[in-house]
Amino acid sequence: AIILNLRDHFCPAVEVSFPNCISALSLSPNFPGGTLSMQILDKIKMQRKESDERPPELPISWVEISNSISRQYQFQPDGKLSVKMVDDSRPAAQRLMESFLNKFFPSGYPYSVNEGYMRYTQFRALQHFTSAALSVLSTQSLLFAAGLRPTPAQATAVSWILRDGMQHVGKLICSNLGARMDSEPKRWRILADVLYDFGTGLEVMSPLCPHLFLEVAGLGNFAKGMAVVAARATRLPIYSSFAKEGNLSDLFAKGEAISTLFNVLGLGTGIHLASTICSSMQGKLVVAPLLSVIHVYSVCEEMRAAPVNTLNPQRTAMIVADFVKTGKISSPADLRYREDLLFPGRLIEDAGKVKVGRSLHEVVRPSKLQQFKEAFPEEKFLLNHGSRWTDMILEHNATGEDALRGWLVAAYASDMEQLVHEPSANILQEAYDKMNSTFSPFLAELQAKGWHTDRFLDGTGNRFAF
């Protein structure tokens, strides 16, 4: 490196050859000593000879064969990688299936998503199919109830008039429940589809009471407006649970592609049903409930397949219960089929029967507030260990880690209470010491399993600040 730097300094001309530059350098009066060591010159000439004899570097290329497809990969001189199809002996059906997967599934599927995404997608497609078919039947019934012929233009006009009215009211009311939807996205997603089917059912039955057309149609669209907000608000947490490589946008786009495709198929099926089986009111009363049952069942299976990895009261209680009972940490995929989607607020005995979200004044009497503060002065939670359950109240800036610490204390205290009978204060202190000794490895393994511990989503739970 030193010799080459000297060469560039004393022989800057491009046209000077390397040996001539060495000779000029050795005779240069500007070079210290006037001459170069013969040993260094010999070494440079030897390296030059080896470089002349070395064959020129060729572009690096290779061929990969996978699933009957041969692809040639080659690094270009500029460092870019080019891919060229050499041979594709796959059947046409297989090529069509791969094209479908590339269009409707995230890049890198199935390795770029978490477990359960295929089952979630299957039932999501069925859900949108039945929902679209139901919408056609309800629109046709609305037109009959209004005394109009079911032409496409009139159906669009009626739909927009009702949507701009009562549906917006439903959206405004439901938008205030965003915090609860963050905490229990699965439950609210199911509730959204139940509300949607309720509104659709009212529209289907509107011909039975044409004199109440505006009331029935308005109430139906009010319920559907709430359903739209709840469904859209819970969509992001559900998609986030499947994002494995930061590919949330790709997941969202491909999910919407599947929804659009099956909505179109459902609309076609609904039009066919409306002109055949469901051309009469009796047919609608048979087909519409059947489609509604399939619709709700599909969304329930969707939600059960989603491995949501945020901490809420139910999931935290299940994690703590498994850890206290078996010493193991459950992953989001382990808990997804054990979650109670309809009644998530149930108390789990192995997790200390912890209840979160009650007001501070309901849990602690003013005369004992100082005592509760001094029990765990460095923590961001208060625990009131009662006979029926344990109340936990969090500070306004408490994280998921703080909630886990408090929950572990309550679980350990409940476990100790079943073995020995001591004053509650002593049990809580012993449980707190045990929690401190086990929390670090517990938290590390929890995060390694994919749980997000930076936030605790307790819905509309009350928090305190001194």
Side-chain angles (χ1 to χ4, degrees), residues 214-226:
L214 290 179
E215 290 82 356
V216 173
L219 181 60
N221 275 269
F222 174 79
K224 290 170 73 173
M226 295 186 67

Side-chain angles (χ1 to χ4, degrees), residues 106-340:
S107 300
Y109 175 85
Y111 307 105
S112 60
V113 298
N114 283 318
E115 183 182 352
Y117 182 74
M118 172 56 79
R119 184 174 179 83
Y120 170 85
T121 301
Q122 290 171 343
F123 283 101
R124 179 175 173 80
L126 183 59
Q127 170 215 341
H128 281 279
F129 178 83
T130 54
S131 174
L134 274 172
S135 68
V136 173
L137 301 182
S138 65
T139 302
Q140 184 194 44
S141 296
L142 282 173
L143 294 172
F144 278 131
L148 302 174
R149 293 182 62 190
T151 61
Q154 290 168 340
T156 304
V158 172
S159 177
W160 274 104
I161 291 172
L162 295 175
R163 183 178 299 178
D164 288 340
M166 292 300 295
Q167 196 171 56
H168 284 308
V169 177
K171 289 180 179 180
L172 289 174
I173 293 176
C174 194
S175 62
N176 295 324
L177 305 173
R180 298 190 182 190
M181 296 177 193
D182 275 332
S183 179
E184 292 289 347
K186 294 185 177 183
R187 181 192 184 194
W188 280 92
R189 185 65 181 86
I190 295 174
L191 180 60
D193 282 85
V194 171
L195 284 172
Y196 183 87
D197 285 357
F198 171 74
T200 304
L202 288 176
E203 294 175 347
V204 170
M205 293 187 296
S206 58
L208 298 177
C209 47
H211 57 288
L212 297 175
F213 170 73
L214 290 179
E215 290 82 356
V216 173
L219 181 60
N221 275 269
F222 174 79
K224 290 170 73 173
M226 295 186 67
V228 168
V229 172
R232 290 177 178 175
T234 55
R235 192 175 303 168
L236 186 59
I238 298 301
Y239 277 127
S240 299
S241 67
F242 290 110
K244 191 176 180 179
E245 301 174 352
N247 54 342
L248 182 58
S249 296
D250 193 17
L251 275 168
F252 189 86
K254 298 304 171 54
E256 292 305 298
I258 290 177
S259 302
T260 301
L261 173 63
F262 282 89
N263 271 326
V264 172
L265 294 177
L267 287 172
T269 303
I271 292 172
H272 177 71
L273 290 173
S275 59
T276 54
I277 301 175
C278 300
S279 57
S280 63
M281 193 62 203
Q282 291 79 3
K284 288 187 180 69
L285 293 178
V286 173
V287 175
L290 178 61
L291 289 174
S292 183
V293 169
I294 298 175
H295 182 214
V296 174
Y297 171 74
S298 298
V299 75
C300 288
E301 290 300 314
E302 276 182 56
M303 296 302 103
R304 284 167 58 82
V308 178
N309 52 10
T310 53
L311 295 178
N312 69 350
Q314 180 179 196
R315 287 188 285 275
T316 304
M318 295 170 70
I319 291 170
V320 171
D322 291 345
F323 179 72
V324 172
K325 191 175 181 179
T326 65
K328 298 180 179 179
I329 303 295
S330 300
S331 67
D334 296 332
L335 296 185
R336 54 184 173 156
Y337 287 109
R338 293 167 50 194
E339 288 186 74
D340 191 337

